[in-house]
Amino acid sequence: MKLREVAHSRTGDKGDISNISLIVYDMEDYEMIKQQVTTEKVRDWFTEIVFGEVQRFEIPSLGALNFVMKRALGGGVTRSLSLDMHGKSLGFALLEMEIEFDKERAGNGNGRIAEKTKGNS
Amino acid sequence: MKKVRIGSGAGYGGDRIEPALDIMDKGNVDYIIFECLAERTIALAQEQKIMNPEKGYNELLEYRMRKILPIRQKRDIKLITNMGAANPLAAAKVVKKIAIELGITNLKIAAVLGDDIFDKISNYENLKMIENGEMLSSLHNSIVSANAYIGISGIVQALDNNADIVITGRVSDPSLVLGPLVYEFGWETDNYDLLGKGTLAGHLLECGSQVTGGYFADPGYKDVPDLWKVGFPIGEIYENGEIVITKLEESGGIVNKATVSEQILYEIHDPANYYTPDVIADFSQVTLEELEINKVKITGATGKEKNNYFKTSVGYKDGYHVEGEISYGGSGAYERAKLAGEIIQKRLEQSEVFLQELKIDYIGINSLYKDQIANAINNNFDDFKDVRLRVAGRLVIQEDAYHVVNEVESLMTNGPAGGGGVRVRTKKCIGIVSILVPSKDIDIEVHYEEV
């Protein structure tokens, strides 16, 4: 299953550093992503993009992990030759990562998630 | 308990004006803030100021002020903005001129000065640049701007002197909100717990609709009602530092735990140590509560004593960037685009052009994530029947940039079959690096205009 089924994400930039938040829809899944989405796994996933250190910060009260990736933006937003020089789309690359998930889900997760965020849970 | 209502009027320099006007008219806000500077914007503004000393402020300043001033006057809303960019003084004079034209009186406009330390930059040549550890002097004579991220002091001083509009240059973004909070509640500037809470309020309000459903929608996963008419956020901040984020009921968008969580971590590194000129804020223990539809309470932020340095953005001339694109369609599109990419590479290798860096992408395939991720998330590249070759280069001299552009254009007749839709552009590039300047070196001054 892809991470997208259990978590959402937003990407920010500062200089040559990209940070990707990963936030679970359901607090019950927090421990699972904490175990599976390790710093090493994220570094390997972005190996062609990130050339510096990758750090992971945990924010349990938000059900969130924050990945801070240095030398990730082609030398910095102002120097980068990337089409997406801010790296805004990188969070959705992280959500493509496959994870092991054994809990029963309704369908592929969409229904449950859409309902959760549609308004006003 | 005393509270202040602060609306967000802009999350970036070119943001939409309609949601800002709606908030001013119907949001019952005491303040509205317009955050309009990105890392590079001020360096570009500095270049405009060099060409014309009366310019160098946000390009939409006049447009916005003509719409804002009448509502501001009617509703008595104080306005705080960094639209001054490289020239807050000129911006204040422009606002005065527009006010006179509109027949508005009783208006005090403050310009906060002191962030611009370009004149003193030679004092800091021995400082190391944060990004690469090299000395600033290695940029030689290419520096075009130097602006320190200053804190709340100028804003608070302006409000103390009854300014209705406060225009700044480079100020730390959350300070645009923290300033009025310190002024309204009389928070001590060494009460780092409260400053940390106020900084979180500023952080949540500085990006416009990014906390109210903008930049959030992912259909089927994260649905946002009426995103087309997304509203900007209103923050209700209490004297004890409690924050409630909401929006106008009739506006589109959504405020819930998910939108607020995404924005709390947006552009944050270590959430326990968010450095600003006013405080080292700590968002690591924040908790959220959905009070009702589109109303989220945020508690638990705190802070520690600030360090005694201001991060300073230094802009420098960094050669030229060139981009050229051409599309290939139908069966074999990717193969033909790849052939075109190889041709470009060979022709540039044979030429005299000095390329610092060359990047060749295939839009729709690997332009965002490069090959490894592209291979992992796609099945069969033969299925791609609408592929766009993108060539991007960084060059030292302008003539070389034109040469690259020309090579992309000439793929029309000298490249693979069926290429179309060529677009090219070159631009002068301004790079940004940062240094840490002792805060005691920076003198903040506030200048006033009145009508």
Side-chain angles (χ1 to χ4, degrees), chain A residues 6-115:
Chain A
V6 293
H8 57 106
S9 172
R10 179 171 295 185
T11 312
D13 64 278
K14 271 199 177 130
D16 201 12
I17 302 174
S18 175
N19 84 288
I20 303 179
S21 64
L22 186 66
I23 305 162
V24 291
Y25 288 104
D26 186 333
M27 280 292 189
E28 282 180 27
D29 296 332
Y30 183 58
E31 283 303 315
M32 185 266 295
I33 67 157
K34 228 172 82 178
Q35 275 167 29
Q36 292 198 40
V37 191
T38 59
T39 308
E40 292 68 32
K41 219 169 150 190
V42 170
R43 191 189 300 124
D44 289 348
W45 187 242
F46 287 112
T47 187
E48 280 187 331
I49 296 173
V50 177
F51 300 102
E53 182 194 6
V54 177
Q55 278 176 292
R56 185 180 90 164
F57 295 96
E58 297 168 10
I59 309 94
S61 60
L62 300 179
L65 301 173
N66 189 36
F67 294 92
V68 179
M69 315 192 297
K70 293 184 177 159
R71 296 182 61 210
L73 298 175
V77 174
T78 56
R79 301 208 92 200
S80 170
L81 293 184
S82 293
L83 182 61
D84 173 14
M85 67 266 213
H86 297 89
K88 296 271 190 184
S89 60
L90 294 177
F92 274 88
L94 182 61
L95 295 183
E96 290 286 320
M97 189 186 271
E98 290 286 337
I99 50 166
E100 302 284 322
F101 195 68
D102 54 11
K103 204 160 77 178
E104 281 265 321
R105 305 292 289 193
N108 61 4
N110 297 12
R112 183 173 158 187
I113 289 159
E115 197 181 315

Side-chain angles (χ1 to χ4, degrees), chain B residues 4 6 177-187 197-199 201-202 237:
Chain B
V4 178
I6 302 180
V177 168
L178 184 61
L181 295 177
V182 166
Y183 165 72
E184 290 285 339
F185 299 137
W187 287 349
K197 291 171 168 47
T199 295
I237 300 106

Side-chain angles (χ1 to χ4, degrees), chain B residues 33-83:
Chain B
I33 62 140
F34 288 75
E35 197 291 291
C36 293
L37 284 179
E39 270 184 326
R40 190 169 48 172
T41 330
I42 202 150
L44 300 175
Q46 207 65 255
E47 289 217 304
Q48 290 169 355
K49 187 181 167 186
I50 291 166
M51 307 235 282
N52 179 352
E54 304 297 311
K55 295 279 178 187
Y57 49 80
N58 181 276
E59 284 174 351
L60 292 177
L61 179 75
E62 284 103 333
Y63 167 79
R64 286 198 174 110
M65 285 298 163
R66 282 180 199 285
K67 291 178 181 289
I68 290 168
L69 287 183
I71 305 183
R72 197 218 73 78
Q73 214 66 2
K74 190 165 77 179
R75 302 274 185 231
D76 193 24
I77 299 164
K78 288 186 192 269
L79 187 155
I80 321 258
T81 180
N82 56 12
M83 271 191 277

Side-chain angles (χ1 to χ4, degrees), chain A residues 2 4-23 25 44-49 51 57-62 64-68 71 74-75 77-86 88-97 108-111 113-121, chain B residues 39-40 131 210-211 213-225 254-256 258-259 261-271 274 283-288 290 293-294 311 316 318 321-323 325 356-359 361 363 367-373 376-377 390 392-394 425 427 429-432:
Chain A
K2 288 185 171 176
R4 186 186 183 213
E5 302 299 331
V6 293
H8 57 106
S9 172
R10 179 171 295 185
T11 312
D13 64 278
K14 271 199 177 130
D16 201 12
I17 302 174
S18 175
N19 84 288
I20 303 179
S21 64
L22 186 66
I23 305 162
Y25 288 104
D44 289 348
W45 187 242
F46 287 112
T47 187
E48 280 187 331
I49 296 173
F51 300 102
F57 295 96
E58 297 168 10
I59 309 94
S61 60
L62 300 179
L65 301 173
N66 189 36
F67 294 92
V68 179
R71 296 182 61 210
V77 174
T78 56
R79 301 208 92 200
S80 170
L81 293 184
S82 293
L83 182 61
D84 173 14
M85 67 266 213
H86 297 89
K88 296 271 190 184
S89 60
L90 294 177
F92 274 88
L94 182 61
L95 295 183
E96 290 286 320
M97 189 186 271
N108 61 4
N110 297 12
I113 289 159
E115 197 181 315
K116 269 191 127 17
T117 56
K118 204 163 250 167
N120 327 323
S121 47
Chain B
E39 270 184 326
R40 190 169 48 172
E131 287 77 5
Q210 281 201 175
V211 71
Y215 212 63
F216 182 80
D218 186 9
Y221 286 74
K222 298 185 292 179
D223 288 309
V224 175
I254 185 170
V255 185
N256 60 20
T259 66
S261 294
E262 283 196 15
Q263 196 53 25
I264 287 176
L265 295 173
Y266 179 67
E267 293 185 340
I268 294 291
H269 296 162
D270 176 357
Y274 179 53
F283 304 158
S284 64
Q285 310 291 326
V286 165
T287 54
L288 309 179
E290 291 178 356
I293 290 178
N294 294 321
K311 183 172 129 179
Y316 66 102
D318 192 20
H321 272 195
V322 47
E323 267 182 304
E325 294 174 7
Q356 287 184 309
E357 192 184 346
L358 177 72
K359 191 167 190 298
D361 298 319
I363 295 176
S367 65
L368 297 175
Y369 303 148
K370 298 195 182 166
D371 291 325
Q372 186 191 320
I373 295 177
I377 67 182
R390 173 177 179 271
R394 191 165 60 236
R425 68 175 187 142
K427 65 168 185 189
C429 188
I430 298 290
I432 293 288

Side-chain angles (χ1 to χ4, degrees), chain B residues 115-231:
Chain B
D115 63 299
D116 185 346
I117 58 164
F118 181 57
D119 288 348
K120 296 189 255 183
I121 195 67
S122 56
N123 298 348
Y124 304 113
E125 282 191 334
N126 295 328
L127 291 185
K128 283 183 178 166
M129 297 182 270
I130 296 174
E131 287 77 5
N132 55 21
E134 288 170 31
M135 303 243 271
L136 189 64
S137 53
S138 64
L139 296 178
H140 302 293
N141 296 322
S142 60
I143 294 176
V144 295
S145 70
N147 291 80
Y149 282 82
I150 61 174
I152 58 172
S153 66
I155 296 170
V156 175
Q157 190 183 323
L159 294 172
D160 274 334
N161 286 308
N162 301 314
D164 302 296
I165 297 179
V166 184
I167 302 177
T168 74
R170 173 58 79 200
V171 166
S172 146
D173 295 344
S175 302
L176 298 173
V177 168
L178 184 61
L181 295 177
V182 166
Y183 165 72
E184 290 285 339
F185 299 137
W187 287 349
E188 298 295 334
T189 50
D190 61 357
N191 188 332
Y192 297 109
D193 178 54
L194 287 173
L195 296 190
K197 291 171 168 47
T199 295
L200 179 56
H203 179 66
L204 287 169
L205 291 171
E206 66 160 272
C207 283
S209 70
Q210 281 201 175
V211 71
T212 49
Y215 212 63
F216 182 80
D218 186 9
Y221 286 74
K222 298 185 292 179
D223 288 309
V224 175
D226 293 324
L227 182 55
W228 69 273
K229 56 168 185 173
V230 64

